[in-house]
Amino acid sequence: MENNYYPFENLPLKYEFSALEPFIDAKTMELHHNRHLQTYIDNLNKIISENPCLENFSLPRLIKMSNKMPKNISTDVRNNAGGVYNHRFFFDILTPKGKLPCDEMIKELNRCFGSFDNFKVEFKKAALSVFGSGYAWLVYCNGRLKIMTTKNQNCPLEQSLCPILAIDVWEHAYYLKHYNKRADYIDDWFNVVDWSAVKNNLDECKYIKF
Ligand code: MN
């Protein structure tokens, strides 16, 4: 991930806001990136400018350390460093040219979930199970893929789990187009997943010590 250290910037997406139409609409993408993510970036920069001892920690390190920080900044760091990391992660595994996973990825999904279709069923179930705001994730853990959910802007990195894939199920991620129908958003989202980016994440997780 670029720009991994303070000061954080809102890097442009690698595709146009409209590129994921008709599955995710341009206005949602624009507001999600330019306002929601921007707010987390601004908040995180402000926290670090007021606590210069945090300046030299990378974004993942800030998340992993947040629970050990003094109470008055712990929640703010977790929410805002999480908000930056999670959104960048979510945007990075989307593409207008959604393809199927490569053979090696399919093999891994088959091994852990029986089949690609069953993985999709299980992942959708998890994403629907998030009460209120949060994310569903595919993570790499002890040599296997695992589906999990987090609340708010919590991140698997806090539990030293290595993220491979994420869907943001905060209402701001889908409400303009899908209204309250999270299930329809999840179905549409599957069409724009960048499986080659997901495979890269898996390879990194296998070789980076967590
Ligand atoms: Mn979001």
Side-chain angles (χ1 to χ4, degrees), residues 46-107:
K46 184 166 182 286
I47 295 163
I48 297 177
S49 72
E50 290 163 359
N51 298 276
C53 57
L54 301 177
E55 249 176 43
N56 296 321
F57 293 106
S58 69
L59 184 58
R61 184 55 63 191
L62 286 167
I63 292 170
K64 288 183 199 176
M65 290 184 357
S66 59
N67 288 334
K68 297 185 184 94
M69 290 177 188
K71 268 221 164 78
N72 62 325
I73 58 167
S74 166
T75 305
D76 283 349
V77 171
R78 186 175 66 239
N79 287 345
N80 292 291
V84 175
Y85 181 91
N86 294 348
H87 279 103
R88 284 177 170 185
F89 189 93
F90 169 72
F91 292 139
D92 276 354
I93 51 98
L94 297 179
T95 176
K97 303 180 201 101
K99 286 180 289 192
L100 288 176
C102 65
D103 288 350
E104 212 181 316
M105 189 72 222
I106 289 274
K107 233 166 92 184

Side-chain angles (χ1 to χ4, degrees), residues 32 36 40 87 90-91 135 153 168 170 172-173:
H32 206 170
H36 291 275
Y40 290 113
H87 279 103
F90 169 72
F91 292 139
Y135 293 76
Q153 294 299 353
D168 182 342
W170 285 57
H172 66 235

Side-chain angles (χ1 to χ4, degrees), residues 8-194:
F8 294 98
E9 291 164 44
N10 199 1
L11 304 173
L13 299 180
K14 57 186 180 185
Y15 44 80
E16 302 290 321
F17 293 131
S18 61
L20 307 179
E21 297 262 11
F23 304 110
I24 304 179
D25 60 292
K27 196 70 193 169
T28 295
M29 290 303 293
E30 183 192 337
L31 295 173
H32 206 170
H33 179 270
N34 289 0
R35 301 211 189 172
H36 291 275
L37 174 52
Q38 186 69 55
T39 302
Y40 290 113
I41 299 238
D42 294 344
N43 288 344
L44 182 59
N45 283 334
K46 184 166 182 286
I47 295 163
I48 297 177
S49 72
E50 290 163 359
N51 298 276
C53 57
L54 301 177
E55 249 176 43
N56 296 321
F57 293 106
S58 69
L59 184 58
R61 184 55 63 191
L62 286 167
I63 292 170
K64 288 183 199 176
M65 290 184 357
S66 59
N67 288 334
K68 297 185 184 94
M69 290 177 188
K71 268 221 164 78
N72 62 325
I73 58 167
S74 166
T75 305
D76 283 349
V77 171
R78 186 175 66 239
N79 287 345
N80 292 291
V84 175
Y85 181 91
N86 294 348
H87 279 103
R88 284 177 170 185
F89 189 93
F90 169 72
F91 292 139
D92 276 354
I93 51 98
L94 297 179
T95 176
K97 303 180 201 101
K99 286 180 289 192
L100 288 176
C102 65
D103 288 350
E104 212 181 316
M105 189 72 222
I106 289 274
K107 233 166 92 184
E108 199 74 32
L109 291 168
N110 287 348
R111 185 169 72 88
C112 301
F113 303 103
S115 67
F116 180 46
D117 283 339
N118 192 52
F119 158 73
K120 284 169 58 173
V121 169
E122 295 295 326
F123 193 79
K124 182 176 178 180
K125 212 191 287 173
L128 285 171
S129 79
V130 176
F131 184 74
S133 298
Y135 293 76
W137 302 84
L138 184 63
V139 299
Y140 190 70
C141 166
N142 297 328
R144 286 186 80 80
L145 297 174
K146 202 180 107 181
I147 294 169
M148 65 178 290
T149 61
T150 56
K151 282 182 175 301
N152 303 318
Q153 294 299 353
N154 288 10
C155 178
L157 292 177
E158 291 164 48
Q159 303 170 46
S160 292
L161 297 170
C162 191
I164 309 275
L165 172 70
I167 182 169
D168 182 342
V169 294
W170 285 57
E171 277 191 340
H172 66 235
Y174 61 90
Y175 202 84
L176 287 185
K177 178 178 167 69
H178 299 89
Y179 305 117
N180 59 326
K181 294 185 179 145
R182 188 188 287 181
D184 292 355
Y185 158 66
I186 299 165
D187 290 339
D188 274 349
W189 171 85
F190 272 119
N191 289 293
V192 290
V193 171
D194 185 349

